[in-house]
Amino acid sequence: MARMTVIVPVYNVESLLPLCLDSIRKQSLGDIEIVCVNDGSTDRSGAILELFAEIDPRIIVVNQENRGVSAARNAGIKIASSPYLCFVDADDCLSRKACEVLSHTLDSFEADVVKCSARVAPELRETPWLKKTLSLESEVFEGFSKEVIFKKPSRPFPWNGAYRTAFLKDNGIVFPEGLALGEDQVFSFSTLARSAKTVLISDCLYEYLVERDDSAMSSFGKNHIKKLESHERVVSEILRDWSAGGYIEKAYEELLSFINDFHLIQLCTMPQCEDKNRLLGSFKCVLREHFDAEEVAKKVQNKYLSSAICDLLQFDGNLSTFDSSRVWDLYAGSFGREAAKAARRAANRSRFNKKVKAIFKKVWPLPANSMVRYLDYERECAGFLQRSQMAMSLAELEKLMK
């Protein structure tokens, strides 16, 4: 029996798949099984998998109709025969010692879940959020821990870590199928809540390729309504799972704070329209299955969070209750008043900067396609931006540039 099962969901990644498979095949821990689930690929991904399976008997290829990444990962979990398993997206790579370190950590700590640090590729596309989320410090948490679920960078990704196979199967933990965005959050909430011991390690063992233009995250980013509808289902799935497991009461305010940050703030930033009214009404129904306004008012200490959730539970179609002016109160509900003030100042600076850059590019058009000239242009734009912030208001600047 292999020591670790590596599950790779595959869909139309022919150009990146060989690099991913090579990184897994070259693991310092050779005693692994590699389960590749071809989720109905229409490019040459299937042929590449078969070729690799011919030269490496550790590779098991499972072919299925296109049902999404959750169904592909679930198929891998079902046939995994090793005591431990991990997930690798087909456009990402593992560091050479990933399987060795992860399996050793699970074994030595007798843990159900281990999470590790990861690096972003290309490095220039690393955002502050990604850097924070993928940079872990070594810590151990026993049983249900609000700290590891809500305070530490343990979510949302399932691939920067590994799991005890029996833990997943005995608890019936799978990815929610039919959910194209946010399935990772649901899986993370389910595993972290039930884990008897969770270990975070600082070792950087995974290389994450920032989304391709045809990835699910990229396509959802272009359709705001679709993204919000998916986020509502994510919240619904988490609440359903936590209600069944009896976890809501263990982290009542923290869970509501997550829901506020994850979904309600984004709803509030929408323009006043019928879609916003529909989404707020639908989200109210989701929360009412698990929360009561009077109970929220008694249990939630943060007055901004309490007010926001109570107003949503009593939403009557009056959009003025959740217009854009309320965003900063909602932000304070999850992060505190001082953080909300700082975020508001940053947002104002960002809007000013965008307008200044637009003026700059209107007066001095983008140069011909030369990287050196482009970098010079960006430096000039940055200098112009800095001078404008120090010297004048936006109105004065626009008047000057006419």
Side-chain angles (χ1 to χ4, degrees), residues 338-356:
E338 291 305 313
K341 289 179 180 178
R344 188 168 192 169
R345 288 193 296 269
N348 288 337
R349 283 197 302 272
S350 178
R351 282 193 292 269
F352 180 84
N353 292 353
K354 287 180 180 178
K355 290 181 180 179
V356 171

Side-chain angles (χ1 to χ4, degrees), residues 10 17 38 41-51 61 63:
V10 178
L17 183 56
N38 178 23
S41 296
T42 57
D43 65 356
R44 293 178 297 176
S45 295
I48 293 171
L49 290 176
E50 296 298 338
L51 177 64
V61 178
N63 292 296

Side-chain angles (χ1 to χ4, degrees), residues 167-317:
F167 161 69
L168 296 182
K169 292 185 176 182
D170 291 348
N171 286 283
I173 299 174
V174 293
F175 289 86
E177 298 187 20
L179 184 59
L181 185 72
E183 71 284 344
D184 293 352
Q185 285 281 14
V186 179
F187 183 81
S188 293
F189 269 92
S190 187
T191 52
L192 293 171
R194 291 171 171 81
S195 175
K197 184 179 288 185
T198 301
V199 180
L200 308 184
I201 58 175
S202 60
D203 305 57
C204 191
L205 303 175
Y206 193 96
E207 185 172 284
Y208 171 51
L209 178 68
V210 175
E211 64 202 58
R212 314 183 309 275
D213 289 338
D214 61 343
S215 69
M217 288 180 66
S218 179
S219 60
F220 265 93
K222 299 170 185 175
N223 190 330
H224 193 54
I225 300 297
K226 194 174 180 181
K227 178 181 178 181
L228 290 170
E229 290 173 341
S230 186
H231 276 195
E232 180 185 303
R233 188 182 161 194
V234 169
V235 173
S236 179
E237 290 284 343
I238 292 171
L239 289 175
R240 178 192 58 76
D241 178 59
W242 271 40
S243 178
Y247 302 116
I248 292 179
E249 291 297 325
K250 293 183 178 182
Y252 195 89
E253 183 163 350
E254 290 82 1
L255 182 58
L256 284 173
S257 179
F258 162 78
I259 291 169
N260 177 56
D261 174 42
F262 182 73
H263 190 51
L264 187 53
I265 290 176
Q266 294 186 59
L267 280 178
C268 196
T269 60
M270 285 183 68
Q272 308 294 74
C273 61
E274 184 55 38
D275 278 328
K276 182 173 185 176
N277 188 51
R278 173 179 61 82
L279 289 169
L280 283 168
S282 176
F283 194 41
K284 175 187 73 172
C285 293
V286 169
L287 292 193
R288 274 191 165 182
E289 292 182 19
H290 306 279
F291 299 101
D292 172 79
E294 290 186 9
E295 186 179 46
V296 169
K298 292 177 182 178
K299 291 185 176 182
V300 176
Q301 299 298 310
N302 185 305
K303 65 178 183 179
Y304 301 104
L305 178 62
S306 176
S307 174
I309 299 300
C310 286
D311 284 348
L312 179 61
L313 290 169
Q314 299 167 336
F315 179 67
D316 60 0

Side-chain angles (χ1 to χ4, degrees), residues 39-256:
D39 190 40
S41 296
T42 57
D43 65 356
R44 293 178 297 176
S45 295
I48 293 171
L49 290 176
E50 296 298 338
L51 177 64
F52 271 83
E54 287 182 11
I55 62 177
D56 194 330
R58 298 175 300 173
I59 295 178
I60 301 168
V61 178
V62 177
N63 292 296
Q64 64 180 34
E65 294 183 358
N66 180 242
R67 292 164 51 203
V69 65
S70 290
R73 287 172 176 161
N74 290 341
I77 293 172
K78 186 176 181 179
I79 68 172
S81 61
S82 306
Y84 309 121
L85 65 81
C86 66
F87 304 97
V88 180
D89 284 354
D91 50 2
D92 297 338
C93 293
L94 286 179
S95 72
R96 189 172 180 275
K97 290 192 173 183
C99 290
E100 179 183 350
V101 173
L102 291 171
S103 61
H104 174 74
T105 303
L106 285 167
D107 195 37
S108 60
F109 283 94
E110 297 184 345
D112 289 329
V113 178
V114 59
K115 304 288 289 186
C116 64
S117 296
R119 66 174 58 88
V120 170
E123 189 176 347
L124 289 173
R125 299 193 70 177
E126 182 180 63
T127 65
W129 180 82
L130 275 174
K131 184 175 183 178
K132 178 181 178 182
T133 302
L134 297 176
S135 300
L136 280 64
E137 296 180 358
S138 297
E139 297 178 83
V140 179
F141 298 89
E142 300 274 357
F144 182 91
S145 168
K146 292 190 289 185
E147 185 176 5
V148 74
I149 298 172
F150 296 102
K151 302 298 183 183
K152 301 298 179 179
S154 58
R155 296 181 288 104
F157 305 116
W159 37 253
N160 64 322
Y163 309 83
R164 191 164 58 85
T165 306
F167 161 69
L168 296 182
K169 292 185 176 182
D170 291 348
N171 286 283
I173 299 174
V174 293
F175 289 86
E177 298 187 20
L179 184 59
L181 185 72
E183 71 284 344
D184 293 352
Q185 285 281 14
V186 179
F187 183 81
S188 293
F189 269 92
S190 187
T191 52
L192 293 171
R194 291 171 171 81
S195 175
K197 184 179 288 185
T198 301
V199 180
L200 308 184
I201 58 175
S202 60
D203 305 57
C204 191
L205 303 175
Y206 193 96
E207 185 172 284
Y208 171 51
L209 178 68
V210 175
E211 64 202 58
R212 314 183 309 275
D213 289 338
D214 61 343
S215 69
M217 288 180 66
S218 179
S219 60
F220 265 93
K222 299 170 185 175
N223 190 330
H224 193 54
I225 300 297
K226 194 174 180 181
K227 178 181 178 181
L228 290 170
E229 290 173 341
S230 186
H231 276 195
E232 180 185 303
R233 188 182 161 194
V234 169
V235 173
S236 179
E237 290 284 343
I238 292 171
L239 289 175
R240 178 192 58 76
D241 178 59
W242 271 40
S243 178
Y247 302 116
I248 292 179
E249 291 297 325
K250 293 183 178 182
Y252 195 89
E253 183 163 350
E254 290 82 1
L255 182 58
L256 284 173

